[in-house]
Amino acid sequence: MNLLDLLRDRLGLSGTKCGCEIGECGACTVLLDGEPVNSCLVLAPQIAGRQVLTVEGLAPEGGLHPLQESFLDHDAAHCGFCTPGMLLSAKALLDWNPRPTEGEIRRAISGNLCRCTGYQQIVAAIEKASAS
Amino acid sequence: MKPFEYIAVHTIAEACDALAAHGAETRLLAGGTDLLIELRRGSKKAPRVVLDISGVAEMAGIAESGAHITLGPLTTHAELARSELLREFAPLLGEAAAAIGSPQIRARGTVGGNIMNAAACADTVPPLIALGATVALQSKAGCRELALADLFVKPYQTRANADELLTAVRFPKPGPGARSAFIKLGRRNALAISRLSVAAMLELGKDGRITEARIVPGAAFPTWQRVTEAERLLLGEMPGEPLFASAGRKVSEEMIKATGRRWSTEYKEPGYLRHHQWPAAHAHSPRQHEPARPPAGPPGPLGHQVRL
Ligand SMILES: Cc1cc2nc3c(=O)[nH]c(=O)nc-3n(C[C@H](O)[C@H](O)[C@H](O)COP(=O)(O)OP(=O)(O)OC[C@H]3O[C@@H](n4cnc5c(N)ncnc54)[C@H](O)[C@@H]3O)c2cc1C
Ligand code: FES
Ligand code: FES
């Protein structure tokens, strides 16, 4: 079983999305010890002793993460399917590079496909969240 | 996914014991970016055992020892891309790694998996061959070392036996007169499996003339090979644009000789012509590497990628 199925089917954490299951869409992105990975390509037992962050763990109890606020403000989630993965890739970026350039933002989300937005709003949302 | 037995090992010795016991029905698991896709596809040769070597600490990391650099096969593409040591001694390898897949793939995919999967488009292989790398294969019976260029039989097939584990990748540190370049032509900037790439290493003598040249195209020939005909054109010459253009033409000619004209030839051929015009291959100094950063996960620049 892969980590994606473990999260969704066994643990009921359906925030992580299942798209292509071959590492290409990034909808299943989670942070493994702080690094963005495709959970569809991680075998479940490989996370033993390691920390996994899913979108459910992003926001503080009862609130939203600044990235989520910014995505709302910028209309950066349309259908929303790519959003959990985008948020986690963006969080990984800002954690080690709090003031990224636009180019760095685009590279950081280059493994996350969005069929709705054309990326412009997403990049703007991440840029704004980094500045605040 | 067909059911299989999962075994995790933590030392090379444990891995060799497990391979000696059931090597033929076993697949090794490192970063899983190739293997999980295969398991999911459920090919007929589904393994009975998946042996997880990702926790074998002695197979991780990049080390400098005397005149050599040694890569643990578990070194990830992200680690290659941000290594200071590679930036100094093998920038073409760091750049090749930075251009692989996506941040997510680079965080998991390993150089050992890239080599042993032996896809024709494996991006770390041409730079490593250009660097003159050797690989160490270990089994319970002992260890043997062979040139990376001799490891491959054909795409997806290596000369490693079923009970052998890749435990190290080594290459000599290039001298101070070394110049190198890695260029990848993909269809778009991220998640572009190489349609075409070329790694080149040049050594320059005191008088600035080329004393040694190694040119290794990726994804162009049935297996990786140096293009000695093109290398020969460079020897004894001063580096420069017209010279690189003629070497590029030679690479294209040899590629067509080896593979015949295919549907992709039309763009691969001009690809080499164009790409041999790079600025005298850059000296061994920082270029497009991923920036240094704290231990937790990096998305990084994509290295030299040229859009078609
Ligand atoms: C979306 C996507 C994009 C990709 N883009 C690129 C790209 O741009 N360029 C590129 O080159 N590749 C690319 N890849 C392929 C893949 O990521 C790389 O080949 C990666 O380096 C494989 O390493 P791994 O550790 O994940 O291998 P695994 O999947 O763990 O293993 C691959 C194979 O190698 C064997 N193996 C692994 N380690 C050892 C060892 N130490 N000794 C013996 N055998 C071993 C395994 O048994 C298996 O057969 C991409 C893959 C995906 C899914
Ligand atoms: S579902 Fe994992 S990358 Fe698409
Ligand atoms: S918002 Fe629909 S895929 Fe990105």
Side-chain angles (χ1 to χ4, degrees):
Chain A
M1 179 191 287
N2 63 31
L3 174 58
L4 176 61
D5 291 341
L6 175 73
L7 291 170
R8 290 181 58 87
D9 302 343
R10 295 291 167 92
L11 301 175
L13 294 169
S14 57
T16 306
K17 299 301 174 213
C18 174
C20 64
E21 288 195 86
I22 53 169
E24 292 194 342
C25 72
C28 68
T29 301
V30 301
L31 301 190
L32 185 58
D33 288 340
E35 278 195 298
V37 302
N38 302 118
S39 60
C40 66
L41 297 184
V42 177
L43 205 60
Q46 291 192 294
I47 62 164
R50 308 184 63 179
Q51 199 182 51
V52 177
L53 181 72
T54 68
V55 71
E56 287 90 349
L58 193 58
E61 193 76 32
L64 287 178
H65 186 274
L67 274 165
Q68 291 171 314
E69 296 278 9
S70 190
F71 267 55
L72 276 179
D73 290 347
H74 288 83
D75 200 14
H78 290 189
C79 79
F81 192 79
C82 70
T83 311
M86 285 286 182
L87 287 167
L88 290 164
S89 285
K91 175 175 162 49
L93 170 68
L94 298 187
D95 282 349
W96 69 272
N97 180 3
R99 291 274 181 280
T101 62
E102 184 189 330
E104 286 168 332
I105 293 174
R106 288 188 182 273
R107 277 190 291 277
I109 60 168
S110 61
N112 295 82
L113 298 186
C114 175
R115 352 161 257 186
C116 307
T117 64
Y119 303 98
Q120 209 49 53
Q121 300 94 317
I122 293 174
V123 172
I126 297 170
E127 218 158 19
K128 188 67 197 301
S130 72
S132 62
Chain B
M1 240 182 242
K2 295 201 178 133
F4 51 78
E5 187 180 347
Y6 170 85
I7 304 174
V9 288
H10 296 96
T11 64
I12 292 176
E14 281 171 16
C16 290
D17 284 346
L19 284 174
H22 23 237
E25 342 164 80
T26 301
R27 291 301 297 278
L28 293 164
L29 171 64
T33 58
D34 283 316
L35 187 65
L36 261 80
I37 290 175
E38 251 182 77
L39 292 177
R40 181 170 177 277
R41 216 181 277 142
S43 69
K44 283 202 202 80
K45 289 191 311 197
R48 195 182 64 73
V49 176
V50 169
L51 186 65
D52 185 355
I53 55 171
S54 63
V56 179
E58 47 190 323
M59 276 168 46
I62 305 172
E64 181 182 8
S65 54
H68 286 81
I69 303 283
T70 304
L71 309 175
L74 293 177
T75 309
T76 63
H77 300 308
E79 288 165 344
L80 295 177
R82 64 177 179 253
S83 160
E84 289 292 341
L85 214 52
L86 294 190
R87 192 166 316 189
E88 186 177 348
F89 292 110
L92 76 171
L93 179 58
E95 283 169 18
I100 286 177
S102 62
Q104 291 92 322
I105 295 294
R106 294 195 289 275
R108 293 293 293 168
T110 66
V111 64
N114 200 226
I115 292 171
M116 297 307 286
N117 193 54
C121 57
D123 278 319
T124 62
V125 171
L128 282 168
I129 292 178
L131 285 160
T134 58
V135 289
L137 297 175
Q138 174 91 44
S139 71
K140 215 172 163 179
C143 187
R144 59 180 176 132
E145 190 140 350
L146 66 163
L148 176 59
D150 295 334
L151 177 67
F152 305 102
V153 181
K154 59 178 187 189
Y156 301 106
Q157 194 185 333
T158 71
R159 286 183 220 287
N161 301 321
D163 64 345
E164 282 181 319
L165 180 73
L166 171 66
T167 53
V169 184
R170 229 182 303 279
F171 58 85
K173 285 183 198 163
R179 301 284 185 279
S180 76
F182 174 80
I183 291 169
K184 172 171 174 173
L185 251 180
R187 282 201 176 139
R188 60 191 181 97
N189 271 344
L191 292 167
I193 301 285
S194 274
R195 294 296 184 284
L196 186 61
S197 71
V198 60
M201 285 283 301
L202 302 179
E203 296 268 356
L204 305 187
K206 286 210 177 65
D207 59 358
R209 288 184 187 279
I210 299 170
T211 55
E212 200 177 331
R214 294 193 289 267
I215 302 177
V216 187
F221 293 90
T223 58
W224 295 278
Q225 57 192 74
R226 289 171 54 180
V227 190
T228 44
E229 295 77 1
E231 294 172 354
R232 227 175 289 130
L233 285 180
L234 299 176
L235 294 179
E237 303 291 333
M238 296 296 284
E241 282 291 309
L243 181 66
F244 289 128
S246 59
R249 249 185 321 270
K250 196 77 189 166
V251 173
S252 298
E253 281 170 30
E254 293 302 317
M255 181 184 89
I256 291 165
K257 256 195 234 165
T259 61
R261 280 203 168 257
R262 301 188 193 171
W263 64 270
S264 58
T265 309
E266 297 300 326
Y267 78 80
K268 287 190 174 176
E269 190 181 3
Y272 280 125
L273 297 182
R274 184 144 34 96
H275 287 136
H276 274 266
Q277 289 157 15
W278 10 269
H282 55 75
H284 277 181
S285 61
R287 269 282 287 263
Q288 281 234 5
H289 279 260
E290 308 219 18
R293 53 161 209 106
L302 289 167
H304 290 295
Q305 288 215 61
V306 185
R307 231 185 249 261
L308 266 183

